[in-house]
Amino acid sequence: MQTRSISVTEAARNFSDCVNRVRYQGVTFILHRNGVPVARIVPEGERRQPIARESAPADTGTASAVDSPVSEPIRNLW
């Protein structure tokens, strides 16, 4: 199974292609917004694996770091 990391904007612009790759090639996409993973597109029936997150200091209330199973972002998929 392949895992690819793309921006939400890229996914929106190429949504049909993403869905086809998920369906026919078994690719999983991790969607990022501002460098933070926010969603996954996975083949139906695969187990959901949560993305580990670390909390920021209590005063900000935002995520400070994200551990992603993807080693490096894939750019220029299309």
Side-chain angles (χ1 to χ4, degrees):
M1 174 184 79
Q2 285 184 327
T3 301
R4 299 200 177 197
S5 180
I6 63 173
S7 71
V8 171
T9 302
E10 263 186 287
R13 288 180 181 157
N14 301 290
F15 187 71
S16 180
D17 186 48
C18 287
V19 171
N20 285 333
R21 288 180 188 215
V22 169
R23 170 65 176 98
Y24 298 110
Q25 298 175 5
V27 175
T28 294
F29 287 94
I30 299 176
L31 308 182
H32 291 258
R33 176 167 281 153
N34 297 323
V36 177
V38 294
R40 286 183 193 218
I41 303 174
V42 298
E44 181 63 30
E46 287 204 11
R47 287 183 91 176
R48 183 173 176 207
Q49 297 176 350
I51 299 172
R53 298 175 191 238
E54 293 180 19
S55 296
D59 60 329
T60 63
T62 61
S64 62
V66 176
D67 295 327
S68 175
V70 178
S71 59
E72 60 185 64
I74 305 295
R75 288 179 175 57
N76 300 323
L77 290 176
W78 295 272

